[in-house]
Amino acid sequence: MGMKKSEKGSKKVMENKKNEKKDVGSAASNATMENDSVFASCSFSSLGLRPSLCDELREKLGFEVPTLVQAQAIPIILAGRHALINAATGTGKTVAYLAPLIHHLQNYDTCIQRSDGIFALVLVPTRELCLQVYEILQKLLHRFHWIVPGYVMGGENRSKEKARLRKGISILIATPGRLLDHLKNTSSFLYTKLRWIIFDEADRILELGFGQDIQEILHLLGSRKAANDNKESTVPRNSEFQRQNLLFSATLNEKVNHLAKISLHNPVMIGLEGKTRKPVSTIESIDPSEFDEEDEVKYSSKIPIAVDYKIPTQLIQRYVKVPCGSRLAVLLSILKHLFERDTSQKVVVFFSTCDAVDFHHSLLSEFHFSTDPQTKERVIQMFLGCQTFRLHGNMEHEDRRSTFQAFKTEKSALLLSTDVSARGLDFPKVRCIIQYDSPGEATEYVHRVGRTARLGERGESLLFLQPVEIDYLQDLEKHGVSLAEYPLLKVLDNFTLHGHNKQVKKSVFIDLHPWVLCLQKALESFIISKPKMDELARKGFCSWVRAYTAHRGELKRIFMIKKLHLGHVAKSFALKQQPSVVGQSFQKQNKKRKRFEKKNGLSKKRKVARVT
Ligand SMILES: Nc1ncnc2c1ncn2[C@@H]1O[C@H](COP(=O)(O)OP(=O)(O)OP(=O)(O)O)[C@@H](O)[C@H]1O
């Protein structure tokens, strides 16, 4: 390779670096930082990217101008700085890191070769995100055929991955577990020329419990420094370049702090306005030359964490308060309303467990409904006329892959998913996000709703809360997220029940609303008539209760299983009775709940509410 062999090559790299540093300032002045706009008023070439790459961005991805985060991050990354980048969901962070890598790799004097091994490593939390980044990379590298993209991830065939690594990959996208596996067991995996390590959705990687793996990966790659020390690991490596590590997420929390400390050297912060000692609202203020030794110590010892999360300003965020026993009927009603309002649209519903996804998926794929049970000639039709997909971590790898691709390309469809879809996935034209099971941490709320309203497009989100969970809104408020109430009764009143819709006085109580009662009855009859569905409902119920008890920290106070009536939870799975074989722990929880109700006089209140 050129720069390894020739002095001229390395001189050129140095010269390029100097020019890149100069470019930081000039690009900065071109990027207009308007708060409400997604795009910057400058061109990709003014950020310092090579013309051929700018052509590729335009021709292969259709990107004419950079987004704001791209305008901020690209010059910094081109300048070789470590960076921590925080920007709202759907604002173009992927290309913000891919473009500078490709710029550098196409810039080398002599073309890089497969035998050089990897130059850049992108770590992502999920398989779907791995594939998504790989696809974008493939498109961007179309004309730069000598730069080889590749991926390794859980679920794939190890030997095939080994073979691909042996042949050589220049930019590798990986999930942490599988990467560590190859680092330890694939002798032909060459990473002596590794120059960039990028953590996409850094906080999620850590939340998924990959912290230990990441430390080991950084250590094996020779890119880890001790937490209290700015020196990098002494693991030998053969690289003419300085390492450059980058951390990206729409939500940076305390967990990222340690990772930043051990992996970033004198980082530039982007998108943490007001939280850093030096404001970073303009690029000029983060000119690398401004950083001194004192900054370095401060920045590396404590990364400022944004308290307020960035949510697309055009997103309409609402919550709906639903009594536990009516949750299922209300979910189905809202979905029906959405797909009748707009027959061509995409909606994602988030659940807390894989079993809950399976149950609701089977139900929605099979449930028929007639609003007129009296007439002889009943018109029985599918309750929802749209195509329904499911996605979760317990699915077969290939099913997961095909669902992900199919939902991407569909024009109108419903996706039922666990949080495996919450991070980074870019499904075009998703119009509405429903969080049927609450997300727990506010960060997850932000990422789930971030699957809509991407890149300035419109979108709406709806959070289901039970009356006893309503304090969760305050938790979101603490992060600057406020939600308006969804007009549920108005939506329910619009459904017609043949035979008695005009006469029936509409109820102000959701659980006594005639439409809800009728639908709930039909759902329960449907489940009872299908043993397979009944089994799925029971499994869904059990895993839901387990997940509910797993809320952590502060949230335990809000999501308390003992505040719930398990019979009502069973109703939300269209089960007439609470499953009897639910294990000792649930029975214990039930007793606890009863004691709690007795102590707080809740059971009386409940009875009163039912009478009214
Ligand atoms: N400069 C651009 N011009 C037009 N479209 C763009 C541009 N940059 C990115 N996009 C598009 O914007 C969408 C969001 O981009 P991307 O997935 O990179 O966002 P993100 O910030 O990483 O989101 P998340 O936080 O959810 O991971 C994608 O569909 C992408 O193709």
Side-chain angles (χ1 to χ4, degrees):
M1 230 182 76
M3 65 282 154
K4 187 178 162 196
K5 289 176 196 153
S6 75
E7 240 180 68
K8 188 179 137 235
S10 42
K11 251 191 195 165
K12 179 147 188 205
V13 172
M14 293 304 290
E15 262 173 35
N16 282 339
K17 276 200 170 165
K18 269 192 216 155
N19 291 337
E20 282 154 3
K21 280 201 176 181
K22 261 194 261 156
D23 284 351
V24 173
S26 57
S29 47
N30 289 336
T32 315
M33 302 301 147
E34 295 161 35
N35 277 343
D36 289 338
S37 152
V38 177
F39 292 99
S41 58
C42 61
S43 63
F44 278 111
S45 59
S46 71
L47 301 176
L49 295 177
R50 306 190 128 240
S52 53
L53 178 54
C54 300
D55 291 347
E56 206 69 348
L57 282 164
R58 193 174 46 253
E59 287 163 23
K60 289 283 171 303
L61 296 182
F63 296 1
E64 298 287 341
V65 289
T67 62
L68 285 178
V69 67
Q70 289 161 0
Q72 285 182 300
I74 289 172
I76 299 292
I77 302 174
L78 285 177
R81 297 295 309 270
H82 288 231
L84 182 68
I85 293 151
N86 178 229
T89 48
T91 51
K93 292 188 282 297
T94 318
V95 159
Y97 63 77
L98 289 183
L101 306 187
I102 300 170
H103 165 95
H104 279 301
L105 290 175
Q106 66 169 133
N107 218 6
Y108 291 164
D109 239 16
T110 312
C111 284
I112 62 167
Q113 291 169 13
R114 296 189 81 157
S115 56
D116 291 325
I118 61 165
F119 285 86
L121 173 65
V122 180
L123 278 156
V124 292
T126 64
R127 300 172 190 185
E128 286 74 16
L129 190 53
C130 192
L131 286 177
Q132 182 175 295
V133 175
Y134 173 72
E135 275 172 24
I136 298 168
L137 188 57
Q138 260 187 325
K139 286 187 190 160
L140 274 177
L141 290 176
H142 188 74
R143 68 168 76 175
F144 314 118
H145 54 87
W146 60 96
I147 307 172
V148 182
Y151 64 86
V152 294
M153 63 180 186
E156 287 285 301
N157 183 309
R158 270 191 189 75
S159 340
K160 284 188 183 159
E161 284 184 350
K162 273 177 191 263
R164 289 205 298 265
L165 287 169
R166 196 177 311 117
K167 268 178 121 180
I169 289 171
S170 327
I171 303 178
L172 181 69
I173 325 293
T175 53
R178 184 55 66 92
L179 174 72
L180 188 56
D181 187 338
H182 284 297
L183 281 173
K184 287 176 172 170
N185 304 314
T186 305
S187 52
S188 55
F189 184 11
L190 191 62
Y191 45 85
T192 48
K193 295 205 166 89
L194 181 67
R195 180 172 172 188
W196 298 276
I197 303 179
I198 294 128
F199 295 90
D200 195 350
E201 307 289 351
D203 55 328
R204 185 61 181 163
I205 294 177
L206 299 176
E207 271 163 20
L208 286 176
F210 285 121
Q212 212 40 44
D213 285 5
I214 293 298
Q215 302 222 23
E216 227 179 309
I217 288 169
L218 288 173
H219 183 73
L220 289 167
L221 294 175
S223 204
R224 188 193 191 290
K225 54 186 173 100
N228 299 319
D229 166 3
N230 283 320
K231 290 188 195 86
E232 297 207 347
S233 146
T234 49
V235 174
R237 62 169 193 260
N238 166 24
S239 176
E240 310 84 301
F241 312 109
Q242 271 204 321
R243 278 285 165 80
Q244 186 182 7
N245 297 344
L246 308 164
L247 262 63
F248 282 80
S249 185
T251 50
L252 296 170
N253 55 27
E254 285 296 335
K255 289 183 187 116
V256 183
N257 199 25
H258 181 65
L259 176 58
K261 263 202 277 183
I262 64 167
S263 65
L264 301 183
H265 181 77
N266 188 11
V268 176
M269 320 286 172
I270 295 177
L272 289 155
E273 299 83 5
K275 307 294 164 204
T276 49
R277 197 168 60 83
K278 288 187 178 188
V280 290
S281 53
T282 59
I283 291 174
E284 283 87 347
S285 64
I286 42 175
D287 185 327
S289 61
E290 277 186 39
F291 281 81
D292 53 26
E293 282 301 308
E294 196 197 347
D295 284 315
E296 189 170 325
V297 173
K298 284 193 177 132
Y299 280 114
S300 58
S301 63
K302 184 80 187 162
I303 301 299
I305 300 303
V307 177
D308 284 357
Y309 291 132
K310 294 180 173 176
I311 297 217
T313 46
Q314 76 283 13
L315 174 68
I316 300 168
Q317 301 177 79
R318 288 190 285 209
Y319 72 94
V320 61
K321 194 162 80 175
V322 189
C324 187
S326 308
R327 274 164 45 82
L328 182 61
V330 169
L331 171 68
L332 265 61
S333 307
I334 290 177
L335 288 173
K336 193 173 179 61
H337 167 72
L338 284 174
F339 281 98
E340 282 175 0
R341 186 185 72 180
D342 186 351
T343 47
S344 178
Q345 65 168 326
K346 288 205 274 197
V347 176
V348 181
V349 184
F350 282 102
F351 295 88
S352 57
T353 71
C354 305
D355 289 336
V357 169
D358 286 341
F359 164 70
H360 291 90
H361 179 257
S362 294
L363 178 72
L364 283 170
S365 309
E366 293 180 34
F367 180 52
H368 291 70
F369 185 61
S370 162
T371 53
D372 190 3
Q374 261 87 48
T375 50
K376 280 190 191 128
E377 286 168 28
R378 288 158 59 179
V379 185
I380 298 183
Q381 54 192 25
M382 285 298 291
F383 185 81
L384 271 190
C386 67
Q387 206 173 351
T388 308
F389 295 96
R390 71 187 175 121
L391 191 62
H392 62 66
N394 281 352
M395 283 165 62
E396 289 294 320
H397 186 59
E398 271 317 305
D399 287 351
R400 229 170 122 167
R401 216 180 158 123
S402 57
T403 300
F404 169 64
Q405 294 300 352
F407 188 67
K408 252 186 152 172
T409 46
E410 277 304 327
K411 292 230 159 6
S412 180
L414 170 66
L415 174 69
L416 312 181
S417 181
T418 57
D419 274 335
V420 80
S421 304
R423 291 285 185 140
L425 298 194
D426 185 48
F427 296 118
K429 306 273 173 219
V430 170
R431 177 71 200 285
C432 180
I433 300 296
I434 298 180
Q435 308 200 43
Y436 182 60
D437 292 334
S438 49
E441 303 289 329
T443 46
E444 282 330 290
Y445 172 91
V446 172
H447 287 278
R448 283 174 167 192
V449 298
R451 297 318 99 207
T452 186
R454 296 175 73 74
L455 210 71
E457 290 210 344
R458 69 197 171 122
E460 54 185 310
S461 69
L462 184 61
L463 172 67
F464 269 65
L465 288 174
Q466 299 183 38
V468 289
E469 300 169 339
I470 215 73
D471 282 356
Y472 186 60
L473 294 176
Q474 286 167 17
D475 197 72
L476 291 176
E477 286 269 358
K478 281 189 217 154
H479 298 281
V481 179
S482 51
L483 281 63
E485 188 161 5
Y486 181 82
L488 179 59
L489 280 172
K490 220 168 124 189
V491 170
L492 295 176
D493 286 349
N494 276 334
F495 289 109
T496 51
L497 285 171
H498 292 288
H500 54 121
N501 63 316
K502 293 268 155 43
Q503 297 91 316
V504 169
K505 205 171 150 233
K506 303 275 164 65
S507 170
V508 289
F509 296 107
I510 307 295
D511 42 0
L512 297 180
H513 195 283
W515 167 263
V516 173
L517 288 172
C518 175
L519 184 54
Q520 181 68 28
K521 209 171 146 203
L523 285 163
E524 287 174 10
S525 309
F526 175 74
I527 297 294
I528 254 179
S529 68
K530 305 236 169 191
K532 199 187 118 230
M533 282 303 314
D534 189 67
E535 199 191 321
L536 284 173
R538 283 162 194 274
K539 271 176 86 177
F541 167 86
C542 292
S543 69
W544 189 92
V545 174
R546 264 198 301 276
Y548 204 87
T549 52
H551 282 288
R552 283 170 295 171
E554 270 281 284
L555 295 173
K556 262 192 163 152
R557 192 181 47 81
I558 301 169
F559 302 103
M560 280 168 105
I561 195 78
K562 63 182 177 187
K563 285 198 224 163
L564 298 186
H565 188 301
L566 290 185
H568 294 175
V569 177
K571 262 184 95 179
S572 73
F573 284 88
L575 293 166
K576 280 194 173 160
Q577 281 173 347
Q578 177 189 331
S580 54
V581 198
V582 289
Q584 289 245 309
S585 58
F586 299 151
Q587 279 160 16
K588 263 191 212 157
Q589 294 286 3
N590 215 5
K591 275 188 195 151
K592 250 191 192 173
R593 178 185 60 79
K594 281 188 181 144
R595 272 205 304 275
F596 176 85
E597 284 187 353
K598 211 170 158 189
K599 200 171 133 207
N600 295 288
L602 283 179
S603 39
K604 265 189 199 155
K605 274 184 211 153
R606 233 190 217 128
K607 272 182 202 150
V608 172
R610 239 183 266 143
V611 172
T612 53

